[in-house]
Amino acid sequence: MTKRVLSFVLALLMVVGLFPAPAHAADTLEEAMAEVDIYAKDQKLNWLTMNGSVKEQEYTYYNYRSAQTGETKEIPAYCVDPRLYGVPALTSEGTPIKYKAESAVNDPKVCGIIANGYPHMTLNDLGLQSKEEAYYATKTALWCYLLGNWSISGLGINSNLTGADKEAAQRVLTATKAIYQRGMYWDELYSPKLTATADTPTATLVTIGGKDYYQQVFTIDSNTWALTPVKVALAEGAPAGAVVTNMDGDEISQIILDTTRTSGAGYQGKVKVVYPAESIEGESGTCQLTLNATVVEYKIYYAKTLETDKYGNIQHYMLDTDPSTPVSATAISSYSSEPTPPPPDEPNPEPESSTLKIIKLEAGTEIPLAGAIFDVWYPNGDKYGSFATDETGTITLPIKVFGNYTVTERIPPNYHILPEISTQHVTVTAETGGVLTFWNAPYGNLRVHKISDTGDNLEGVSITIKNLTTGETRTGKTGPGGVIEFTELAPGGYEVRETAGIKGYVLDVEATKTATVITGETSEVTFVNKEKPGLR
């Protein structure tokens, strides 16, 4: 009986050893790429020829665990030179070779080919039916660029194939050419960025269904591939009935961007901001359009083996990390129906004019801040309008009615906190005009991720952060996905500590990490808890 149990355990260990181990969870991308296991599948792919010669490939990949989300993805490993031995030729399926990827690829066309191939583009986008087809197409397109004796015009279909295999080869050939051509358009490395640009300075009068409206068309542009629809919304304080619509006039809360780059720009889509004419009659002002999406951040690493003592100087690989990153943006929509200023309390027989200037700066600096929205009221209490600071951080308003004006900051600039004193008063005269200055403190965010040493996301762990300058602390618990995000933090250094664990895991109260919060960015810290011994 004992021998049977022992035999069963040994057999089980052998079977488990055939499966790829889960990728190590690292605190940073650089740590994650310091040591990776590259695997290959024992399956010959031979759809295409180059200059008449059949080119065989094997699907090669590694498992990447994102320090940001905790998710593990199987990502293709694209070899650099088909003339060198690599993982498929040197190991059996399920047995990896260790690599280190410490240098990033900075060739725009290499990044362009991979970004327009698999897995950034879905199988449906590529017109393919399997990841093996997508891998073969992307790697072939890459070789057509990297290798001097390869060219996209030299590709052909393996004449030995018939039936479904021949149909697959035709799909792969079409996809390869498309991936290559799109990649050749890349002349720069693209970074995540989201913008919205209006077609006119202010909303224009249109008639929809027999009613008058004012509308402004915004072109939304993502500099990199958008993984999710862009969520769009009007901030609080917009005129009654104002909505965001698609170009057909249907009210929407999100828009899917194009899947191909616009010439000279990124991936785009258009929306309208529409105001009922009666809601802005006699008024002018601005409202804020907010945008949020998850996009791709292109980071490709050049990997060399860590096992030269065992395998020698073997094949190098390009490893796409395929991370997603959240981006947000705001835009200012302006409206006006040519309002007439209300009469002054005491008519002035000889009207004069002056200006009211509103200045917006970052606290403790002379840095101007764009995108802050202010409401302005006349001395008699009527509303003058809502206005946004420009790139110089200023609003300049013509004044013909003199007296004491009230100015309230309603929406702060991106990544800045609304000041405690958000309303100020100023007396505007014909001789001196009026000037008000508002300051906003900047902020950033801190994201803490809690995982086990077996890769599980841990919900319910108490985390405390402390500002190293002020000593101020904040505490919260990790939610689904093992993540808690502390928002609107003053920039600077923070101490991050686990203060209460959860059942089944070892609380490490001595583990303390530090993080630097940067204005407009989300800094990240990852903690790993050891699972208590037990049966799993």
Side-chain angles (χ1 to χ4, degrees):
M1 183 67 172
T2 303
K3 288 183 179 181
R4 287 184 182 179
V5 172
L6 181 59
S7 298
F8 173 77
V9 172
L10 291 174
L12 179 61
L13 290 174
M14 290 177 66
V15 171
V16 170
L18 294 176
F19 292 94
H24 171 66
D27 291 347
T28 66
L29 178 59
E30 288 70 24
E31 288 181 20
M33 304 306 290
E35 183 178 309
V36 297
D37 291 334
I38 297 181
Y39 301 84
K41 291 192 175 180
D42 187 14
Q43 178 185 5
K44 300 297 182 184
L45 310 175
N46 61 350
W47 287 296
L48 301 183
T49 63
M50 171 53 63
N51 300 324
S53 174
V54 176
K55 298 302 174 184
E56 287 190 346
Q57 299 182 23
E58 292 86 7
Y59 181 80
T60 311
Y61 65 97
Y62 81 110
N63 294 318
Y64 170 72
R65 178 183 287 278
S66 170
Q68 190 177 51
T69 65
E71 181 183 1
T72 297
K73 296 181 179 180
E74 180 186 288
I75 298 180
Y78 295 115
C79 58
V80 176
D81 189 342
R83 296 166 295 186
L84 296 177
Y85 285 117
V87 176
L90 298 172
T91 61
S92 58
E93 182 172 338
T95 302
I97 296 179
K98 294 188 180 299
Y99 276 76
K100 181 176 184 178
E102 57 185 354
S103 60
V105 176
N106 56 15
D107 186 324
K109 288 182 169 40
V110 168
C111 293
I113 289 171
I114 294 177
N116 284 281
Y118 183 75
H120 288 279
M121 303 281 280
T122 66
L123 295 178
N124 187 58
D125 293 328
L126 294 170
L128 300 173
Q129 296 184 1
S130 70
K131 64 183 180 183
E132 288 79 14
E133 291 180 9
Y135 171 83
Y136 191 103
T138 306
K139 190 162 77 168
T140 302
L142 193 61
W143 283 352
C144 285
Y145 172 69
L146 292 174
L147 305 179
N149 59 336
W150 282 54
S151 67
I152 199 70
S153 60
L155 286 177
I157 293 175
N158 183 351
S159 60
N160 298 320
L161 302 178
T162 59
D165 290 336
K166 187 174 181 179
E167 292 175 2
Q170 184 59 62
R171 291 193 299 268
V172 171
L173 179 61
T174 301
T176 301
K177 291 181 176 180
I179 293 168
Y180 178 85
Q181 289 167 356
R182 287 194 295 260
M184 291 303 99
Y185 284 118
W186 282 45
D187 294 318
E188 62 177 294
L189 297 176
Y190 297 101
S191 300
K193 184 181 180 182
L194 191 64
T195 61
T197 306
D199 63 335
T200 56
T202 59
T204 56
L205 183 63
V206 296
T207 300
I208 303 174
K211 293 184 62 177
D212 287 342
Y213 293 86
Y214 286 83
Q215 76 173 25
Q216 203 170 16
V217 177
F218 283 84
T219 299
I220 300 173
D221 186 286
S222 176
N223 203 34
T224 62
W225 178 269
L227 295 171
T228 64
V230 179
K231 294 180 180 179
V232 290
L234 293 175
E236 184 179 353
V243 294
V244 179
T245 74
N246 59 22
M247 296 306 288
D248 294 327
D250 303 316
E251 185 175 351
I252 59 171
S253 60
Q254 61 183 28
I255 178 174
I256 298 175
L257 300 187
D258 294 338
T259 56
T260 56
R261 294 191 72 89
T262 301
S263 178
Y267 303 94
Q268 295 188 342
K270 292 181 183 292
V271 299
K272 297 178 182 179
V273 178
V274 180
Y275 306 91
E278 65 269 16
S279 71
I280 62 170
E281 183 177 357
E283 294 183 8
S284 65
T286 57
C287 66
Q288 190 179 64
L289 182 67
T290 63
L291 306 100
N292 294 277
T294 299
V295 302
V296 169
E297 186 174 11
Y298 302 117
K299 287 187 177 178
I300 298 167
Y301 282 81
Y302 190 68
K304 297 181 180 180
T305 183
L306 289 170
E307 299 187 78
T308 53
D309 56 335
K310 184 175 182 180
Y311 298 105
N313 186 23
I314 60 173
Q315 180 70 257
H316 303 322
Y317 287 89
M318 289 184 185
L319 305 182
D320 182 7
T321 55
D322 193 30
S324 60
T325 186
V327 291
S328 61
T330 60
I332 302 301
S333 177
S334 301
Y335 55 87
S336 175
S337 61
E338 300 181 356
T340 301
D345 294 335
E346 296 181 5
N348 187 342
E350 297 180 359
E352 299 181 76
S353 65
S354 188
T355 60
L356 167 59
K357 188 174 184 179
I358 304 169
I359 302 172
K360 168 59 63 175
L361 301 174
E362 186 169 283
T365 74
E366 294 297 318
I367 299 174
L369 301 176
I373 295 183
F374 290 86
D375 294 333
V376 181
W377 282 270
Y378 283 105
N380 67 354
D382 290 334
K383 190 174 182 179
Y384 187 134
S386 299
F387 308 93
T389 54
D390 59 19
E391 63 276 2
T392 68
T394 60
I395 299 168
T396 303
L397 304 174
I399 299 296
K400 291 186 178 180
V401 179
F402 304 115
N404 189 38
Y405 280 74
T406 300
V407 179
T408 297
E409 181 178 357
R410 177 160 49 87
I411 299 177
N414 266 355
Y415 307 115
H416 289 77
I417 302 170
L418 196 68
E420 290 185 12
I421 300 176
S422 59
T423 297
Q424 296 189 48
H425 305 275
V426 63
T427 299
V428 182
T429 67
E431 295 78 20
T432 62
V435 178
L436 285 175
T437 302
F438 289 75
W439 286 270
N440 292 84
Y443 74 78
N445 302 321
L446 178 59
R447 187 177 189 273
V448 182
H449 186 196
K450 198 71 177 174
I451 60 177
S452 74
D453 56 350
T454 57
D456 295 327
N457 295 310
L458 302 182
E459 181 179 357
V461 178
S462 296
I463 303 292
T464 297
I465 64 171
K466 181 173 75 173
N467 186 301
L468 295 177
T469 301
T470 66
E472 180 184 0
T473 63
R474 287 171 62 177
T475 300
K477 290 186 177 181
T478 56
V483 169
I484 179 173
E485 187 165 313
F486 298 93
T487 60
E488 297 192 2
L489 299 175
Y494 284 78
E495 176 186 273
V496 186
R497 182 186 296 273
E498 176 185 355
T499 51
I502 57 177
K503 185 178 180 181
Y505 295 89
V506 178
L507 172 65
D508 190 357
V509 294
E510 300 299 323
T512 301
K513 295 193 177 186
T514 58
T516 301
V517 173
I518 300 172
T519 300
E521 296 184 11
T522 299
S523 304
E524 297 182 5
V525 171
T526 300
F527 282 93
V528 179
N529 278 100
K530 290 184 179 180
E531 189 174 1
K532 289 182 178 179
L535 182 62
R536 215 179 137 73

